Amino acid sequence: MKLQRMNRRALTLGALAVSGALALTACGSDDTGSSSGGSSAAATGASDIKCDDAKGQLLADGSSAQKNAIDAWVKNFTQACNGVQVNYKGSGSGAGITAFTQGTVAFAGSDSALKPEEVAASKKVCTGGQGIDLPMVAGPIAVAYNLSGVENLVLDAPTLAKIFDGKIKNWNDAAIAKLNPDAKLPDLQIQPYHRSDESGTTDNFTKYLIAAAPNDWKYEGGKAWQAKGGQSASGSSGVAQGVKQTNGAIGYMELSYAKDGLGTVALDTGAAAPVKASSDGATKAVAAAKVVGTGNDLALKLDYTTKAEGAYPITLVTYEIACDKGNKAETLPATKAFLRYLASEQGQGILSGIDYAPIPDSIITKVRTTVEGLS
């Protein structure tokens, strides 16, 4: 009997040990996270990241659209290059460019390419050079909605333009009903949400409306929202939170923010089937973009009116903005090492898993060459 009790105790302890090991494995899995969508895979190859002489603190600011991607990149990079601290604020594209042209950050993120006056301002901080646009991450701008009882919503550009301009006010409007013949649309007021801060997301969303619905969107566009009415919130996270809390709300945000119960609109682009926001759809849209920058600048021009099958037209490209020449000596090694990792196959490889889209090979190879030439 004593021997049997000892055997039972040993089996129990063994089971507990296995259970504990499995729990630790699960915790380790969560730490690199499936929600980081590929960060763990990239982290396993952290030793492949070239740190060179990178050290110290790297300050950056800008696009909130890429913040979730930057967070995943920073985690992997600083695991490999533990002598570097990367502090990216994500205050918005406008704030990032201002910080860059004032010389307070090593690089900035922007969802819009530099304007001529911003290039001119950058020459004051880039000794002997200027700020250049390096396309580093693409992402679909989802049109997310909160509408009880409606799971699959289809809209086109003219209808979206009228909704965000306050011309279509109710969810059971005839224009929406025509695009959604099988949906039970409620007699409920539409609550459109837009960004309150200057944003490249706004710039790209309105570029789509200008291009695809020119008769219904008469505003000039730009980083600042121009239409009247609607609700406003700061940052993509603020817009997402507002839509999530309001039945009948609709807003634009990066796909990575359109989570937790929010539906996303399928766009009727004129293709055979409506297209939902996806990483693959964004990459297909960017693949057709043209490089319009000169010299080392790799600014792109997107086709917001594409009817290509599976291409999602409301797609933004976030640029990392750095000096081609005249970078500060104390931060240049860290800037190059970090940007090199972002543009690498490893860095680009984590994007699809976290609701972003990698830059097509034809463009990212040029980015890699340009990063190596930063001085």
Side-chain angles (χ1 to χ4, degrees), residues 325-336:
K325 299 177 182 177
N327 288 280
K328 294 178 181 178
E330 61 270 25
T331 56
L332 177 60
T335 299
K336 287 185 70 169

Side-chain angles (χ1 to χ4, degrees), residues 245-312:
Q245 293 175 345
T246 310
N247 186 32
I250 188 170
Y252 58 92
M253 65 200 72
E254 293 69 41
L255 181 59
S256 60
Y257 291 92
K259 303 286 187 183
D260 302 326
L262 293 180
T264 56
V265 169
L267 291 178
D268 183 347
T269 63
V275 186
K276 273 202 169 190
S278 70
S279 297
D280 184 58
T283 298
K284 286 180 179 177
V286 177
K290 296 179 180 179
V291 175
V292 293
T294 58
N296 291 322
D297 189 274
L298 297 174
L300 302 175
K301 183 177 181 180
L302 300 174
D303 180 7
Y304 294 99
T305 62
T306 179
K307 296 181 181 179
E309 298 300 327
Y312 185 78

Side-chain angles (χ1 to χ4, degrees), residues 171-183 185:
W171 279 110
N172 62 350
D173 187 274
I176 301 176
K178 184 178 179 180
L179 291 164
N180 299 272
D182 299 324
L185 298 167

Side-chain angles (χ1 to χ4, degrees), residues 50-59 77 84-86 100 105-107 125-127 130 132 134 321-341 370-375:
K50 289 179 62 179
C51 303
D52 291 340
D53 299 322
K55 59 184 178 180
Q57 189 174 49
L58 193 60
L59 298 179
F77 179 78
V84 183
Q85 290 182 323
V86 182
F100 179 74
V105 295
F107 72 91
V125 296
C126 301
T127 308
Q130 65 178 50
I132 56 171
L134 300 171
I321 295 169
C323 298
D324 59 352
K325 299 177 182 177
N327 288 280
K328 294 178 181 178
E330 61 270 25
T331 56
L332 177 60
T335 299
K336 287 185 70 169
F338 187 59
L339 296 182
R340 179 189 295 122
Y341 164 60
T370 303
V371 168
E372 293 305 324
L374 298 181
S375 63

Side-chain angles (χ1 to χ4, degrees), residues 69-121:
I70 288 282
D71 287 347
W73 278 329
V74 167
K75 180 178 180 179
N76 292 342
F77 179 78
T78 53
Q79 281 179 351
C81 307
N82 54 22
V84 183
Q85 290 182 323
V86 182
N87 183 354
Y88 182 84
K89 289 183 179 180
S91 304
S93 297
I97 290 174
T98 297
F100 179 74
T101 55
Q102 291 177 347
T104 59
V105 295
F107 72 91
S110 176
D111 307 321
S112 302
L114 290 168
K115 295 178 180 177
E117 60 269 26
E118 293 167 341
V119 173

